Amino acid sequence: MSGGAPEPAGGRRPLGGRRDQGAGRPGVCRLPRGPRPGTVPALAGRASALVGLLDIAGGVLPRFRHSHTFAVAELLPAALGPFAAALSLSAGVLLLLLTRGLGQGRRRAWQGAVVLLPAGAAAQFAYRHSLLAVLLPLVLLVPLVCHRDRFTAPPGPGGRGRALAHLVLMGAGSLLLGLLVVNAHPGPLVDDPSLADRLTHVLYGLFGFEGPVHYRGDASWTVTFSLGALGLLTALTTLYLAVRPRHPAARRTGDDERRLRALLARHGAGNSLRHLALRRDRAVVFSPSGKAAVTYRVVAGVMLADGDPVGDAEAWPGAIERFMDEARAHSWTPAVIGCSETGIAVWHRETGLDALEPGDEAVMGSAAFPLAGRATRGTGGAGTGRGGREEKRGKREERRRGRAEGQGEGRIGRTS
């Protein structure tokens, strides 16, 4: 919401510096509005997937010999055709892999798309001789460059688990694409190889070896280059995910910890969970005034805050704003766990997050809270007494024994 002069009738604003310029005049051209800046990453991801599928189709299917641009492309070296087919196929596969990263606004995905789009267009022209396949990637490249400030997030998490899953899925996809490549050139085939021979040829080709299927002419080089490119992409992308960190490292310096301890010393009374903020696997963001802080950790792309901000309640909104800025910068999903009623109100007011109440927890000392007696009869038999009335209501009770330092043995109970 902002102030200013009222909008014209109908809610439309004429294009130009003045609102009444050209209004009501016949023949005035109104240019279409572009997408909202916040939707650019998602739209770029979808468009990248479409161009990637076209590049894959262009690299797999045999090229046309009677297109309008064939006279120009005929001047290119003959050996460029098989290489262009492999390049088009590789660019399409990589664009599909970058779709999610573009949708999340990640910088490296943007850099990869900016390189792959013109490379795929050049490969389509050299192999398919199609102007349409050249123009589509270049049309997508223009808004990507114009809205490059929307792609600032760092790379996402990796790890051996992600790498293994990627290897299985990418390997299966490469096997299917390899079968399409082998079967897409039936004319130059020598004899009629069986399905087992074709599968063997694909597997050998993914590892860079010659298989039992043979072709006449340039089709042999096209199939060999394409299968080798698929195998190389599978290996490199899996290795990239394997060496990338699984989770972002908690960025907390010694000065941050001293400031956090000072805030806890001044404002940490009355909340026994506040000192969880000092765990070494937590990162921290401070308010602009330094009077409040939010500690968090990142789990599966979720930026999980540890309950209420630490520090002066009046400075909580500033710390929450810094927390949300950090989540947007990394394309993380913000979430909070373990808030008080006051914290729920502040978080909801500042961020619009919804509140869920999964259950209540309590810590009781057995010496000060005996279960014997008339006053606590209902608590002692809540889960087991007389048929388990509370269990029938869907509640559950857990009890564990623990020993605190310098104190006797107590019980920790939880009812949910």
Side-chain angles (χ1 to χ4, degrees), residues 237-249:
T237 53
T238 303
L239 180 63
Y240 173 73
L241 287 176
V243 300
R244 202 163 63 181
R246 182 178 180 183
H247 295 295

Side-chain angles (χ1 to χ4, degrees), residues 349-365:
R349 184 184 70 234
E350 298 296 327
T351 65
L353 296 177
D354 295 328
L356 299 175
E357 187 177 358
D360 295 326
E361 296 184 1
V363 179
M364 298 177 291

Side-chain angles (χ1 to χ4, degrees), residues 55 58-61 80-90 123 126-127 222 225-226:
D55 284 346
V60 169
L61 299 178
L80 189 61
F83 175 76
L87 179 59
S88 177
L89 180 61
S90 303
Y127 184 65
T222 302
F225 283 3
S226 299

